[in-house]
Every structure is written in C-alpha cells, then in structure tokens.
Amino acid sequence: MLYLYHADAGQATLHLEGDEHRYIFKVRRHKVDGTLYLRNLKDGLLHRYLISTLDKKSAHLTLQESSTFEVKAKQSLHIGWCVIDPKSVEKILPSLNEMGVEKITFIYCKRSQKSFKLDFKRLEKILLNSSQQSGRSEMMQLEMAEDLQQFLTDYPQSKMLNFSENNFIGNTSVETLVIGCEGGFHDDEVTFFSKENIVGFDTPLVLKSESAVCAVASKILL
C-alpha cells in the first residue's frame, strides 16, 4: 500500500479507528512517531502525517506536510463499455485502474443483458483498494448511459472498437472508445459510426469483451 485513503485527508488532525486502524497498526505494524501518507483522491495532494498517539482501538494523526504529487497516465482514455456480467467487470476493474483509465461509462447496448445490474458502491470500493496499491492519485470516474445513442449525444467524438481491415488501435488517436459486450454490436449500432471512426486490432482472433477492454487500455496507455 503506497498510501491510505481517507475522505478527510488534509485536515490538521485525524482520528483513525475500525478497519483503518486495524490494517495500519495490526497488519502493517506502524508505531508512534512514525509517518503515514494519506490521500483524499480529490485534491491531487499527498498528505504526510505523524502518528501522535496510538492505542489498541484508535490512533491520532497530526498533519506535517501536504504536497502536490499526481500519479496518473500520460494520456486520457474514456471507455464506453457495453454492460456485461458484473462479476467479469469486478475482476478486470483493478487492472484498468492500475493502467490509468480515466473514466468508464457503462452502456446498455442492444445485446447487453438488462438483468445485469452494476453495484457502483462495490465498484468504488474495488477502485479505492486498487488506487492505494498502485499509487493512483485520482479516482477513476464511473457512470451509466441508458443506451448507445445517449452516450454518443454526450460524447460525439467517440470511436468504436470493431472489426477493421486497416484502422488499428495504436495507429490512430483515441480518447473515447466504445467496446461491445459478448456477441458484439447490433448492426443498427454500427451504423452510428463512420468508417474512419471504427478501429480494431491487427489480429484474426476474436476477443472476449473484458479481454478487449484490457488490451485497449494497455495498447493506448502503457
């Protein structure tokens, strides 16, 4: 863990108890007069605290310094991801966060199963844990779109990941990319994009949705 997340990080003093206290002092074995680094994942600052007092149930921290220290990808990437099984999303989300994906908008595309419901509170908890481990200084943004048309109204510059004979990922600039669910896009959805705004991978292999998302992020961001 490179830092501890706390919503109030940056205040002159902090009081830790419960899970935060248990992990830092029973698992990581920090001591009185030791140093802890905290972030609130909003201001881009890294806050250095001194452990002033410590007992079996709580700890008192005193702010020593706040400094600007941003850790993020060099390039921005917003993924419009047609909804798939939430379990698959939860498995791959930490990797996408570590690679620096800035934002994911989940879209109920025509071939998405409407019974799939994403638990955003659970996803945010996964992102918090991943950010603390990777050092990322800002939370990935998550949102929902009712359908692909709504998404394109909000993000008209988007491109689609689909089959392409010569327009490949890595050879063209991409900031916002729509990735399909299992079974790909409906023909009607493909017509929303001009030929030059459809990109693909230079491979004859067919990727699962979560594999495609991970491949896109690594190709563009790493």
Side-chain angles (χ1 to χ4, degrees), residues 6 28 36 51 74 150-151 160 174 176 178 190 207 221:
H6 196 290
R28 298 299 296 271
L36 277 180
I51 304 169
K74 295 180 180 179
Q150 179 197 328
F151 180 82
M160 169 185 276
V174 176
T176 303
V178 180
V190 177
L207 303 181
L221 297 175

Side-chain angles (χ1 to χ4, degrees), residues 113-168:
Q113 293 189 37
K114 297 299 188 289
S115 60
F116 288 152
K117 304 296 180 183
L118 295 164
D119 184 342
F120 271 59
K121 287 186 176 180
R122 181 176 173 84
L123 296 182
E124 287 171 1
K125 186 175 181 180
I126 291 172
L127 289 176
L128 280 176
N129 290 333
S130 170
S131 295
Q132 291 175 120
Q133 295 292 338
S134 66
R136 180 170 174 154
S137 58
E138 291 184 359
M139 278 280 285
M140 181 194 294
Q141 301 172 54
L142 301 176
E143 66 178 19
M144 288 292 307
E146 184 177 342
D147 54 33
L148 186 53
Q149 283 182 305
Q150 179 197 328
F151 180 82
L152 292 176
T153 298
D154 294 336
Y155 307 101
Q157 80 286 7
S158 302
K159 296 184 179 182
M160 169 185 276
L161 180 70
N162 204 8
F163 298 104
S164 178
E165 294 181 358
N166 52 27
N167 198 15
F168 301 128

